[in-house]
């Protein structure tokens, strides 16, 4: 597993908000309880890419969850543009052609994470989407391909983390969304674990959104999650 010296770096706060003003206010409220933030579609299309640069200028880490998937040249050039923003992580879908293009385009400190199967998918969702393989087998196959191509890490459910670790080895990252503190609403995530369970499963970074962003005291929730992972 990766060597993470600051335990706060294990928590990635998902800024799934509508605008930059709200995101900036949330980051300020969380303060030094967190160091790593995820920007996805919603905020990204609302000025979030420029905000990513503002966060990195403050010494914070940014995970751009853009899930790129397109023809190779488009992906490669898109990854190069993201690298120029100073982001630490970028997601692409784990299709071989897409992953190869992303590896060609990465630079600087940017690490490419491959999304195997969305954590909102269960077996019924996978069948409805036309996949013949069960979710666990798809995750395994795509993880093997990512390892062979040279992807830096895998995004998967914490429930699949042990199997993925066995496939990709100790040096690649495992990043897990769908993490919910005990007693919180799982929302649209169908394959979830608590932060402590995720850490015991060997996860490098956990992504937490609504339990923090919707809390009356997001700083306290972020701090409690980091402490739970440290204790695990």
């Amino acid at each position: 597993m990766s060597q993470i010296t600051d335990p706060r770096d294990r928590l990635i706060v998902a800024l799934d908000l509508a605008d930059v003003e709200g995101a900036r206010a949330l980051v300020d409220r969380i303060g030094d309880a967190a160091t790593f933030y995820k920007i996805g579609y919603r905020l990204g299309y609302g000025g979030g890419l420029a905000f990513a640069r503002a966060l990195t200028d403050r010494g914070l880490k940014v995970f751009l969850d853009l899930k790129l998937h397109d023809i190779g040249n488009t992906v490669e050039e898109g990854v190069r543009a993201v690298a120029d923003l100073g982001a630490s992580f970028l997601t692409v879908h784990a299709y071989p052609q897409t992953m190869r293009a992303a590896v060609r385009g990465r630079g600087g400190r940017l690490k490419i994470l491959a999304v195997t199967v969305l954590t909102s998918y269960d077996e019924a969702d996978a069948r409805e989407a036309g996949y013949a393989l069960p979710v666990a087998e798809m995750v395994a196959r795509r993880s093997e391909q990512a390892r062979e191509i040279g992807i830096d890490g895998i995004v998967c459910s914490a429930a699949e983390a042990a199997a993925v670790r066995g496939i990709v080895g100790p040096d690649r990252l495992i990043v897990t969304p769908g993490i919910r503190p005990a007693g919180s609403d799982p929302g649209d995530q169908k394959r979830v674990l608590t932060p402590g369970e995720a850490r015991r499963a060997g996860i490098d970074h956990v992504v937490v959104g609504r339990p923090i962003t919707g809390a009356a005291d997001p700083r306290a929730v972020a701090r409690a999650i980091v402490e739970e992972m440290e204790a695990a």
Side-chain angles (χ1 to χ4, degrees):
M1 289 173 284
S2 65
Q3 297 299 314
I4 298 173
T5 57
D6 187 339
R8 296 174 299 171
D9 285 349
R10 294 194 182 280
L11 169 64
I12 302 176
V13 179
L15 295 175
D16 296 329
L17 303 171
D19 55 65
V20 169
E21 290 73 20
R24 183 179 293 109
L26 179 64
V27 172
D28 289 342
R29 290 182 67 195
I30 292 173
D32 63 1
T35 58
F36 214 144
Y37 291 91
K38 180 177 83 72
I39 295 174
Y41 292 159
R42 187 183 186 193
L43 183 59
Y45 293 143
L49 296 183
F51 184 55
R53 170 63 76 184
L55 291 177
T56 60
D57 286 346
R58 290 173 56 177
L60 297 169
K61 297 180 176 65
V62 173
F63 170 11
L64 286 176
D65 188 18
L66 303 182
K67 298 185 181 71
L68 300 185
H69 179 49
D70 210 311
I71 64 173
N73 184 67
T74 299
V75 171
E76 183 177 347
E77 294 303 321
V79 170
R80 285 200 176 98
V82 168
D84 289 341
L85 293 174
S88 296
F89 293 169
L90 169 68
T91 47
V92 303
H93 279 289
Y95 294 89
Q97 185 184 93
T98 295
M99 291 191 288
R100 291 188 190 101
V103 167
R104 290 194 301 269
R106 82 186 155 194
R109 68 181 183 185
L110 181 65
K111 295 185 182 300
I112 304 298
L113 306 178
V115 178
T116 54
V117 178
L118 297 175
T119 55
S120 62
Y121 272 39
D122 58 16
E123 300 295 345
D125 295 316
R127 287 194 300 271
E128 185 179 24
Y131 292 112
L133 294 176
V135 167
E137 291 184 31
M138 281 197 294
V139 170
R141 180 174 180 179
R142 290 176 173 180
S143 296
E144 289 171 358
Q145 292 169 328
R147 180 198 65 210
E148 292 166 1
I149 290 167
I151 292 294
D152 299 294
I154 299 293
V155 177
C156 67
S157 164
E160 293 129 11
V164 169
R165 180 63 72 196
I167 293 167
V168 302
D171 298 327
R172 286 181 172 83
L173 297 167
I174 295 180
V175 179
T176 302
I179 299 300
R180 295 290 185 269
S184 65
D185 183 357
D188 56 6
Q189 302 289 350
K190 296 178 180 177
R191 295 176 289 142
V192 301
L193 290 180
T194 67
E197 290 169 335
R199 187 72 199 105
R200 285 188 290 272
I203 304 302
D204 295 295
H205 301 272
V206 301
V207 180
V208 183
R210 282 165 285 188
I212 295 175
T213 62
D217 188 346
R219 177 187 176 92
V221 176
R223 190 178 298 281
I225 290 171
V226 171
E227 290 174 352
E228 180 179 342
M229 287 190 291
E230 280 194 271

